[in-house]
Amino acid sequence: MTNNITPSARPAPPLGGFQEIDGRRLFVHRSGSGGPAVVFLPGASAVGLDYFGVQQGVSQFTTAVVYDRGGTGYSDPLPLPRTAAAVATELHELLRSQDIAGPYVLVPHSLGGFYAHRFAQLYPRDVAGLVWLDALHRDWDNFLPPAMHLAACEQMAPDLEQLEQMRPALREMRGELLADYPEHVREPLIDAHESDEWIHVGIAERGTLAELATELRAGPNIPDVPVVALTVLGIDPAQQALTSERTLQEMHDGKTRMDAALVNAVSHGEQRILSDTLHHRLCFDRPDAVVQAIRDVVARAARP
């Protein structure tokens, strides 16, 4: 889908700034110092500042970067969806333009896993490590039951009418998740998430999951760098109401095996299973686990 809203109509970010790439502005916010720099890759319907809390924890020991992909969040509009290569190339240029030296520890969440993997395929020497936050994997369909295959997930995503009905509940949820954020960050971020533009963007980014996986399968595996995968196995009541117990168990088993295969493919990989949070709540319920995983990968990546 094409987003035709002009930059001037977009909400202003409560902090951070912009970097021009190919005549477009990308939102970016960095904090901390030192290296390797840590770069967060948001999931669909998420934006860089959703990871502000864990960014602040990481900034205590190294440079931490959050940003919005072109066409999403506070960045300038672009036709969506995009290829993984386009997103990865854009991120590489952003980091270079910001004078943030590589190699980087990439921290993808959900859909961000596809883009992190493509970045690693295109720029393997610029990847120092990976922290997989319950992220999507190109071999998802090989591990998950048919009802949860990527093409099926595209169809299951809520449409505009459903999201409209969910708005009050989503606002309440975001208020709870962001309760510890400074008010000047929290309130504008909640308001922006409720905008028609951001809702449309979230729908558009979920539209080609199977195509993105196919794009990634044409390239190599992730490079042999330190990896920690956080596999989230909490029970989502909403999902439980719509999915059979058998399918839920198969999904959890499949995700566990999928992330195990990911970490077993590198020399220094580790899987950490979290059963006390949900996919979309990971960075809010367990910032301690996220920051510790990043700290461990940064430390290992910094060793000779």
Side-chain angles (χ1 to χ4, degrees):
M1 93 177 244
T2 303
N3 189 330
N4 293 315
I5 298 177
T6 61
S8 61
R10 299 168 71 80
L15 76 169
F18 294 96
Q19 176 66 54
E20 186 169 308
I21 302 293
D22 294 332
R24 297 177 289 102
R25 300 178 310 157
L26 289 183
F27 168 78
V28 59
H29 175 59
R30 58 192 290 185
S31 57
S33 60
V38 170
V39 183
F40 291 86
L41 287 79
S45 294
V47 298
L49 288 181
D50 289 332
Y51 304 85
F52 174 77
V54 287
Q55 181 196 26
Q56 295 311 291
V58 173
S59 69
Q60 301 303 306
F61 55 88
T62 193
T63 302
V65 182
V66 297
Y67 90 110
D68 293 341
R69 295 182 284 274
T72 76
Y74 295 105
S75 292
D76 282 350
L78 268 181
L80 297 173
R82 304 166 72 196
T83 65
V87 173
T89 302
E90 173 188 80
L91 175 56
H92 191 255
E93 184 60 31
L94 171 67
L95 295 171
R96 287 169 59 91
S97 298
Q98 285 277 306
D99 294 322
I100 301 172
Y104 314 102
V105 172
L106 303 180
V107 184
H109 176 223
S110 194
L111 176 65
F114 282 157
Y115 302 133
H117 191 157
R118 194 70 177 114
F119 187 101
Q121 287 179 339
L122 295 173
Y123 312 105
R125 294 185 179 180
D126 283 332
V127 179
L130 288 161
V131 179
W132 214 251
L133 301 182
D134 209 40
L136 287 178
H137 190 287
R138 66 178 182 178
D139 295 326
W140 177 277
D141 286 358
N142 293 343
F143 291 92
L144 277 292
M148 301 301 298
H149 280 185
L150 293 172
C153 290
E154 293 174 16
Q155 299 302 316
M156 286 189 293
D159 58 24
L160 276 175
E161 182 178 348
Q162 292 169 319
L163 287 171
E164 187 65 37
Q165 296 172 351
M166 294 164 60
R167 274 196 188 195
L170 288 173
R171 184 178 183 91
E172 182 178 354
M173 178 194 73
R174 288 195 180 97
E176 183 243 325
L177 293 178
L178 305 179
D180 293 335
Y181 282 28
E183 184 177 359
H184 74 279
V185 176
R186 180 180 67 247
E187 295 306 318
L189 188 56
I190 292 173
D191 289 341
H193 266 297
E194 287 200 335
S195 68
D196 289 342
E197 181 186 3
W198 281 23
I199 290 173
H200 278 269
V201 163
I203 294 172
E205 278 210 302
R206 290 185 178 90
T208 55
L209 301 179
E211 288 183 25
L212 291 172
T214 298
E215 179 185 349
L216 289 168
R217 284 195 295 272
N221 293 331
I222 60 173
D224 191 8
V225 295
V227 178
V228 171
L230 299 186
T231 306
V232 174
L233 300 182
I235 302 296
D236 185 340
Q239 191 175 44
Q240 191 174 29
L242 299 172
T243 310
S244 71
E245 184 174 342
R246 177 179 177 179
T247 298
L248 279 176
Q249 187 59 53
E250 290 177 343
M251 182 180 73
H252 284 182
D253 291 346
K255 284 176 60 178
T256 301
R257 291 185 291 107
M258 180 177 68
D259 282 354
L262 177 76
V263 301
N264 289 336
V266 297
S267 300
H268 301 287
E270 181 183 354
Q271 180 181 28
R272 300 175 185 177
I273 294 175
L274 301 176
S275 300
D276 57 353
T277 186
L278 304 177
H279 177 76
H280 66 284
R281 299 184 60 98
L282 170 58
C283 290
F284 305 102
D285 290 343
R286 294 300 312 275
D288 57 322
V290 174
V291 173
Q292 186 61 56
I294 295 169
R295 183 188 291 273
D296 292 342
V297 170
V298 165
R300 184 170 288 279
R303 295 173 191 163

